[in-house]
Amino acid sequence: MITRSVYISMLVFFVFVLSGFSQSITESDKNTDSNISTELNTLEQILSFEEFMGYVKKHHPLMKQAELTLNVGEANLLKARGGFDPKIELDYDGKEFKGIEYYDELSTTFKIPTWYGVEFKANFEQNSGEFLNPRLDVPDEGLYSVGVSLSLAQGLLINDRMATLRKAKFFREQTKADRDILVNTILFEASNAYLDWLKAANERSIYASFLENAETRLNAVERSVAVGDKAAIDITEARITYQNRQLNLEAATLKMRKATLIVSNFLWLDNVPVEVQEEVIPSLPEQTIVQQSLQIEGITNTAEFIENHPKLRSLDAKISSLNVERALKKNKLLPKINVEYNFINSDFDDFSAYNNQEYKAGVRFSYPIFTRKERGDVRLVKQKIESTNLERVSASLEIQNKIDAVVAEISSLSTQNELIKSIVTDYKTLVQAEERKFFLGESSLFLINSREQKLIDSQLKENELSIKQLKATTSLYNALGIRTPSSID
């Protein structure tokens, strides 16, 4: 028969054995969880801000489209220069009916236009026929002529060809500025998309962390209720908190997924869109990293950036082009006086035969009496110039105010971030103290949840302010109008 002391000794022995066995299982579970956690961390891939922007600069189709915008300006300039290209003309007319040659007219011309209203030309004519116009009668071997045509009033200092070329040069400068604006806008939008993705990822991480806390607290309350230390109603309150955390996490997950899809809009590889996978996560960049990536690090003097802002450069080019248009329209107020003089000779090889005794010359004059159309055109161009000048003044002021506002925002957000970090630290201290009091029976779940909700709100605010500060940096880049060079430059 087992005595009472032996029974107690055996019971204590089994308790220790079971305790050790349970501890070994717990340690084994912890090791397993640790291994799983390590594997998950290994599976997660981080896409940094620098890498993301590198892909955008190198592969985004709009970056290449920006260069095509510049090519349009170059093509227009080439087209305008074509107005001064030498030209060969050939004109032939002939008629023969019932064996009778009515006329046979051949005229070939080589023209060389020059910058001012002067055009050099060489011509050969050979005409024959029974019904040939007498004024077209030339020697049988043909007639050669070398001469020049000149505009003495309208078209001398400026004409359509000259104006087109000048405006094409200004249009090329305008397309350069427009290209810079397009590149700046693309990188600005891409940066903000990444930061929105980062904000959503941080929110999800915050809610996931507090969901884990709520689950741990629910399990602890259930155990306390089971041994009679807590009231059963505490389980209900802990469960409600846990379910609210689940709801918040689900909403944050959806928000992150939407932000991920927006980021995917900016990722391309060899003209093929790339979708960011769920295991890829963003990382919080330092402000200096964002500045380096956008090439605005160390900028202190913003005045020079305002003067060279692509928006203002585009307007300057537009104003210059309109000034050329005004000069052309004012030139149209002058009468048209075109003078032409040609030396003629029937012997191509005998240059001495060209003299001022044998020539073909002409003068053409025309002038609208009231010049209402021309004066109206001048007024219209003048109005356009005044309107564009006002637009430039307004744009300059808007850019200056935008830059000043962004600089003030960056400074303020820096102070706000320091304050919110201190607030978060204090709220963490309060939550930890309230949890210790709760397990000592000196507090309640309501107080813990209230403190924790304030901590969640403060951490969400911290996340929002840190992203706002980075976004303010990208806004400064956008306000300055800087074009970060791409790999296709």
Side-chain angles (χ1 to χ4, degrees):
M1 184 175 183
I2 301 175
T3 62
R4 182 180 182 86
S5 59
V6 174
Y7 179 80
I8 293 174
S9 299
M10 292 177 62
L11 182 61
V12 171
F13 173 77
F14 280 115
V15 168
F16 275 110
V17 171
L18 290 174
S19 176
F21 180 71
S22 175
Q23 185 175 0
S24 65
I25 291 176
T26 303
E27 293 295 333
S28 176
D29 290 343
K30 287 183 178 180
N31 292 335
T32 302
D33 291 342
S34 177
N35 292 335
I36 293 174
S37 177
T38 302
E39 291 177 2
L40 289 175
N41 290 335
T42 302
L43 289 174
E44 285 185 345
Q45 300 177 10
I46 296 177
L47 178 62
S48 69
F49 182 82
E50 297 167 286
E51 293 173 323
F52 171 75
M53 295 303 294
Y55 277 110
V56 175
K57 294 175 186 177
K58 186 175 182 180
H59 297 289
H60 198 286
L62 288 181
M63 297 294 288
K64 300 177 182 179
Q65 183 183 354
E67 299 304 316
L68 293 179
T69 302
L70 183 59
N71 291 340
V72 171
E74 296 288 351
N76 273 280
L77 180 59
L78 180 64
K79 177 182 177 182
R81 284 174 174 161
F84 294 90
D85 289 344
K87 185 185 298 184
I88 297 177
E89 296 179 354
L90 187 145
D91 187 10
Y92 173 78
D93 283 319
K95 180 179 178 182
E96 186 172 341
F97 183 68
K98 294 184 177 181
I100 300 175
E101 184 186 62
Y102 281 70
Y103 57 85
D104 189 90
E105 303 172 2
L106 173 66
S107 175
T108 60
T109 307
F110 177 68
K111 297 180 179 180
I112 304 177
T114 61
W115 178 249
Y116 293 103
V118 180
E119 186 175 71
F120 298 97
K121 61 181 181 179
N123 180 261
F124 172 73
E125 294 179 79
Q126 191 172 39
N127 307 316
S128 61
E130 295 186 23
F131 297 95
L132 184 70
N133 191 329
R135 66 189 296 269
L136 298 177
D137 191 23
V138 295
D140 293 339
E141 61 273 17
L143 185 66
Y144 299 92
S145 65
V146 177
V148 62
S149 62
L150 173 66
S151 299
L152 294 180
Q154 184 182 136
L156 177 61
L157 299 179
I158 185 170
N159 52 48
D160 289 331
R161 283 199 308 261
M162 295 163 61
T164 300
L165 181 56
R166 287 178 180 175
K167 289 193 290 185
K169 290 180 179 179
F170 290 124
F171 180 72
R172 180 182 59 178
E173 296 303 315
Q174 188 175 353
T175 56
K176 286 181 180 179
D178 293 340
R179 184 272 309 269
D180 293 349
I181 293 174
L182 180 57
V183 171
N184 179 279
T185 302
I186 294 169
L187 297 183
F188 170 68
E189 292 177 352
S191 301
N192 283 348
Y194 181 91
L195 294 176
D196 287 336
W197 179 37
L198 175 61
K199 179 183 176 183
N202 289 342
E203 286 184 10
R204 185 185 182 283
S205 178
I206 291 170
Y207 283 123
S209 174
F210 283 99
L211 174 63
E212 185 178 341
N213 291 347
E215 184 178 13
T216 301
R217 194 173 297 126
L218 175 61
N219 293 334
V221 170
E222 288 176 345
R223 288 193 298 269
S224 297
V225 171
V227 298
D229 289 342
K230 301 290 182 184
I233 194 64
D234 286 342
I235 296 179
T236 303
E237 186 170 355
R239 186 168 55 246
I240 290 173
T241 302
Y242 174 69
Q243 290 170 340
N244 279 328
R245 300 288 184 266
Q246 285 182 311
L247 184 62
N248 292 336
L249 178 60
E250 185 62 30
T253 302
L254 176 61
K255 184 177 180 181
M256 180 181 174
R257 186 55 188 159
K258 288 182 177 179
T260 304
L261 291 174
I262 294 175
V263 165
S264 298
N265 293 336
F266 295 92
L267 287 177
W268 294 73
L269 189 61
D270 297 330
N271 294 327
V272 177
V274 177
E275 183 176 345
V276 178
Q277 301 302 310
E278 293 184 3
E279 63 270 13
V280 179
I281 59 174
S283 63
L284 181 65
E286 296 289 338
Q287 190 170 4
T288 54
I289 296 298
V290 177
Q291 293 173 344
Q292 290 172 2
S293 182
L294 298 176
Q295 295 191 349
I296 59 174
E297 186 181 21
I299 291 178
T300 55
N301 182 16
T302 59
E304 58 180 288
F305 286 94
I306 295 177
E307 290 301 320
N308 294 318
H309 196 282
K311 175 66 175 178
L312 300 184
R313 286 193 284 114
S314 177
L315 289 173
D316 287 339
K318 183 178 178 181
I319 292 171
S320 298
S321 180
L322 286 173
N323 283 327
V324 172
E325 184 70 17
R326 179 174 61 178
L328 178 64
K329 298 300 182 183
K330 289 178 70 174
N331 187 260
K332 299 286 186 182
L333 294 171
L334 299 175
K336 288 183 178 179
I337 306 176
N338 296 326
V339 179
E340 182 177 354
Y341 187 89
N342 297 278
F343 297 98
I344 57 178
N345 181 21
S346 61
D347 189 357
F348 176 75
D349 296 329
D350 187 6
F351 290 97
S352 61
Y354 290 101
N355 58 74
N356 56 9
Q357 301 300 319
E358 297 178 341
Y359 64 89
K360 182 172 66 174
V363 177
R364 295 178 182 85
F365 174 87
S366 67
Y367 186 71
I369 297 176
F370 299 110
T371 64
R372 287 180 290 194
K373 176 181 180 298
E374 291 74 13
R375 286 186 286 117
D377 287 339
V378 172
R379 288 183 183 179
L380 287 174
V381 175
K382 184 179 179 181
Q383 295 295 327
K384 289 181 181 179
I385 293 174
E386 291 180 357
S387 176
T388 309
N389 278 322
L390 291 174
E391 183 182 356
R392 190 193 187 284
V393 172
S394 176
S396 179
L397 180 61
E398 182 180 343
I399 291 169
Q400 178 65 69
N401 290 338
K402 185 177 180 180
I403 292 173
D404 292 342
V406 172
V407 171
E409 183 183 10
I410 292 174
S411 177
S412 176
L413 286 171
S414 178
T415 303
Q416 292 181 49
N417 271 286
E418 292 299 323
L419 291 172
I420 194 65
K421 286 178 182 177
S422 177
I423 293 172
V424 169
T425 300
D426 289 342
Y427 270 126
K428 285 181 179 179
T429 303
L430 287 175
V431 171
Q432 292 171 359
E434 204 65 46
E435 284 181 337
R436 286 194 298 269
K437 290 170 65 177
F438 174 74
F439 285 106
L440 292 175
E442 299 176 2
S443 184
S444 64
L445 275 177
F446 174 79
L447 288 175
I448 291 180
N449 292 335
S450 178
R451 301 281 194 196
E452 191 175 67
Q453 186 58 50
K454 294 290 183 64
L455 176 59
I456 294 174
D457 292 341
S458 64
Q459 286 192 342
L460 291 174
K461 188 68 175 178
E462 180 185 28
N463 177 46
E464 179 184 356
L465 288 175
S466 64
I467 298 302
K468 270 189 175 182
Q469 188 171 13
L470 295 175
K471 277 192 171 184
T473 303
T474 64
S475 295
L476 179 61
Y477 163 78
N478 181 243
L480 292 174
I482 298 174
R483 183 183 79 91
T484 303
S486 66
S487 62
I488 57 177
D489 286 346

